[in-house]
Every structure is written in C-alpha cells, then in structure tokens.
Amino acid sequence: MTAYPLVQLQDAEKIQWMRARELSGEEKARWWTVADARWPHFPEYRATAHRDIPILLLEPALPS
C-alpha cells in the first residue's frame, strides 16, 4: 500500500480518490481504541497475532 497509496473508493454510485497512509504512535493507538470499541474481538486477535498489525487511513486526494 505504501508503494501505491492512491486508490479509488466506491460507495454505491459515489467514486472518490483517496490516499492511504499507515498510522503510527499515538494516532495508531487512538484508532485501535476505536476498533476495539466496535469489534470486541480485536484485542484478543492482536494478542495472538504475534505481529504488529498495521492500520491504514484513507484520506481524500486528487489523482496525481
């Protein structure tokens, strides 16, 4: 994803260009809190994954 961060996201009829970036530090921790609140199995999964699970954020972008 970091090699080709520009993607198209389609929601029904709406198509939008987005740029993906990997989160780290406090920003990543904040989004894990959101994920844990919505999907209660995430903490257990992360504990047994034995690896760092990346979180990617999609932000609006224009095609380059």
Side-chain angles (χ1 to χ4, degrees):
M1 183 55 73
T2 55
Y4 302 100
L6 194 61
V7 298
Q8 275 190 338
L9 179 68
Q10 184 170 353
D11 181 14
E13 300 293 320
K14 184 178 179 182
I15 299 174
Q16 188 174 9
W17 282 100
M18 306 294 280
R19 184 171 308 277
R21 67 180 176 88
E22 187 171 348
L23 302 182
S24 62
E26 290 181 20
E27 189 177 29
K28 183 176 182 178
R30 182 168 38 95
W31 280 106
W32 268 127
T33 302
V34 172
D36 290 346
R38 296 193 187 270
W39 298 286
H41 299 289
F42 264 135
E44 180 183 341
Y45 173 70
R46 287 198 331 263
T48 61
H50 305 292
R51 65 181 180 93
D52 182 45
I53 300 171
I55 295 182
L56 300 175
L57 180 69
L58 296 179
E59 299 173 305
L62 297 175
S64 41

